[in-house]
Amino acid sequence: MTQRTTPAAEHLAELISCRTVSAADERDEAEFVRFRETFARLYPLLHERLELTMVGGSMLFRWPGTSAEKPIVLMAHYDVVPAPAEQWRRDPFDGAVVDGAVWGRGALDDKGHLVAVAEAVEQMLAADVVPAHDVYLSFGDDEEVFGDAAGRVVDHLEQRGVRPWLVNDEGGAVVEGAFPGVKGPTAMIAIVEKGTVDVELLARGAGGHASTPPRDGATARLARAIVRLEENPAPARLSEPVVEMMRHLADLTPAPMGAVLRRADKVNRPMAMLLGRLGPETNAIARTTMAVTRLSGSPASNVLAQEARATVNVRLAVGDTIEQLTERLTSLLEGLDVEIASARGANPPPVSRTDNEAFALLTKVIVEELDGAAPVPYVQTGGTDSRHFTRISDAVYRFSPFDMTREQRDAIHAADEHLRVDSLERGIAFFRGLITRHA
């Protein structure tokens, strides 16, 4: 069977083969160098005609426009999370184009987005297009480890007086079934993201031989703490950006549900509880979430743990803070002899505007280039590098112009990640349209 492919799909496949894994205990700098060298070969005009500033391993390109006023920033990152090969149907770093899709780690998060931006710019450069306004491309290398390269890029721009008129990063996508009763595809544009905090819980013990275990050892106390967190989720509530999402969905939903969504602010608590029951994605929008992601204890099977640790990845809802989180955890852990060893991360950034020309442009291009998908603002549950740009812009949005099924969304940070070739091509057209229509 002949597999449909395009030059852009082949470029993405080749870039996926660069193992730019970014994790606390895994990072091969040679692979990051190989990515940048491959990227330069695949996009020669971008490198010849744009101004490149390196910020560590992150790339910041400036494409001078007719005017330096109202600049836009298009963001992506090229580091990826680990991909245990045994969990995948095919090698996660093969970058194979199979069944009309590009498969591999980073296809969706976030090399596909990066390629869509780069292809759009390369094609416009080949046609000798000069944008009406400066365009910046910010491609990060440490997003997956909550790094600070994007913050240093913002420092660089701020020192030069650059105030972006619009910033777009990875984020929501074009989806079906965003909410029960909603008809047609919706383009979910994140106008804010949740805060990201890693909390380390610590239980101490005396250690010793596992053949004579004491009652209430470190691992048992830590286990009880984890169960208590699981059984006591943060209360559900609708923040203002979630209420705004509901108002937009109301226009796409028949009565009587549409009427209920339009009054979401009046039925905040019941609506938030409903979101919590509809599934993991909507539940995460309605509350602060906590997920235990790493555990450690004894170094050997026959040794009692002197320290048992758990990492809890917390996503703070808009309006919640690290200080409030610490107070709540302290209360929940009372009497368990488990301490909060650290709480590192960031509060939710400011909410971006939806009543400005930048958001109007973004939604216009979505409707025109993405088969009439209805734009809907929402709260992104994952963290992005774009949080740093809220220091210098009130128009920071998070939208990936790809159709994503539930299966594809579930594959992000999991096995069998893939991006359809036709969706990649529409994404390229979207970025061309965004640059061209910003006149």
Side-chain angles (χ1 to χ4, degrees):
M1 176 180 176
T2 302
Q3 305 299 339
R4 179 176 182 273
T5 188
T6 64
E10 295 297 333
H11 291 169
L12 174 56
E14 188 168 356
L15 291 171
I16 284 173
S17 73
C18 300
R19 296 172 179 258
T20 52
V21 174
S22 186
D25 54 356
E26 183 178 357
R27 185 180 175 100
D28 184 346
E29 290 297 341
E31 289 295 307
F32 284 77
V33 171
R34 185 163 78 92
F35 178 95
R36 294 192 293 271
E37 291 174 346
T38 303
F39 185 63
R41 173 172 53 80
L42 295 177
Y43 300 101
L45 296 180
L46 191 152
H47 285 76
E48 289 171 10
R49 301 187 191 176
L50 273 59
E51 304 167 6
L52 172 61
T53 300
M54 294 299 301
V55 180
S58 294
M59 299 175 281
L60 176 66
F61 294 90
R62 176 177 174 259
W63 185 9
T66 304
S67 169
E69 300 296 317
K70 299 168 64 174
I72 66 173
V73 179
L74 304 178
M75 301 179 64
H77 66 87
Y78 66 96
D79 61 323
V80 300
V81 296
E86 65 274 11
Q87 298 174 4
W88 290 61
R89 283 179 278 176
R90 51 181 56 84
D91 187 330
F93 294 102
D94 256 1
V97 183
V98 179
D99 296 333
V102 186
W103 296 75
R105 176 58 84 224
L108 293 174
D109 185 15
D110 186 35
K111 292 179 180 178
H113 188 115
L114 186 151
V115 164
V117 172
E119 290 283 342
V121 172
E122 189 80 3
Q123 290 173 13
M124 296 175 75
L125 289 170
D128 293 322
V129 172
V130 177
H133 305 273
D134 284 1
V135 177
Y136 290 86
L137 314 180
S138 181
F139 299 149
D141 74 323
D142 63 357
E143 191 271 351
E144 295 293 3
V145 290
F146 211 67
D148 66 349
R152 287 182 283 134
V153 168
V154 170
D155 291 340
H156 172 84
L157 294 175
E158 192 171 29
Q159 289 165 8
R160 284 154 183 77
V162 178
R163 301 285 301 181
W165 183 79
L166 178 150
V167 177
N168 187 71
D169 197 3
E170 61 172 331
V174 177
V175 303
E176 296 273 358
F179 195 83
V182 174
K183 296 182 178 179
T186 52
M188 307 302 294
I189 308 166
I191 57 176
V192 68
E193 64 186 53
K194 298 175 77 174
T196 302
V197 186
D198 279 331
V199 176
E200 187 173 45
L201 302 182
L202 171 62
R204 303 180 189 275
H209 202 287
S211 63
T212 56
R215 290 183 58 82
D216 216 28
T219 52
R221 282 182 279 116
L222 184 65
R224 281 197 289 275
I226 292 170
V227 171
R228 188 170 291 183
L229 296 187
E230 182 78 13
E231 292 178 345
N232 292 274
R237 61 176 176 79
L238 302 185
S239 60
E240 180 51 41
V242 177
V243 171
E244 185 172 358
M245 177 189 77
M246 293 297 188
R247 295 192 189 107
H248 279 74
L249 290 174
D251 295 334
L252 309 173
T253 308
M257 180 57 75
V260 174
L261 295 179
R262 208 164 276 112
R263 298 179 63 253
D265 57 331
K266 307 297 184 184
V267 288
N268 191 304
R269 178 72 172 168
M271 184 60 70
M273 293 176 67
L274 174 61
L275 288 178
R277 289 196 293 267
L278 288 176
E281 288 181 318
T282 52
N283 176 64
I285 288 174
R287 56 162 48 91
T288 288
T289 60
M290 294 183 287
V292 177
T293 53
R294 306 186 77 178
L295 294 168
S296 64
S298 166
S301 63
N302 61 347
V303 175
L304 296 173
Q306 288 186 292
E307 292 187 345
R309 296 177 181 267
T311 299
V312 186
N313 186 256
V314 181
R315 302 303 168 117
L316 290 172
V318 175
D320 287 354
T321 66
I322 296 176
E323 182 180 6
Q324 292 169 336
L325 169 68
T326 303
E327 291 175 357
R328 184 168 183 273
L329 288 177
T330 300
S331 177
L332 280 175
L333 298 174
E334 188 174 357
L336 294 180
D337 195 17
V338 173
E339 62 188 87
I340 300 171
S342 63
R344 297 184 297 270
N347 291 321
V351 180
S352 289
R353 294 173 55 191
T354 58
D355 61 350
N356 54 5
E357 292 180 350
F359 190 76
L361 172 66
L362 188 63
T363 57
K364 175 181 171 65
V365 177
I366 286 172
V367 171
E368 293 177 350
E369 298 290 350
L370 300 178
D371 299 330
V376 176
Y378 87 115
V379 176
Q380 181 158 316
T381 56
T384 70
D385 278 339
S386 69
R387 69 187 182 278
H388 295 285
F389 280 78
T390 59
R391 283 166 37 201
I392 58 174
S393 177
D394 63 358
V396 177
Y397 308 109
R398 303 152 184 89
F399 176 70
S400 295
F402 305 132
D403 305 291
M404 289 192 203
T405 64
R406 179 59 185 268
E407 177 191 16
Q408 285 175 296
R409 301 197 301 275
D410 288 345
I412 295 174
H413 284 209
D416 298 329
E417 186 179 349
H418 63 283
L419 172 62
R420 296 202 59 79
V421 174
D422 55 1
S423 185
L424 174 60
E425 293 299 319
R426 282 194 293 274
I428 297 166
F430 167 83
F431 285 117
R432 284 202 310 267
L434 188 64
I435 296 169
T436 301
R437 289 170 178 79
H438 179 34

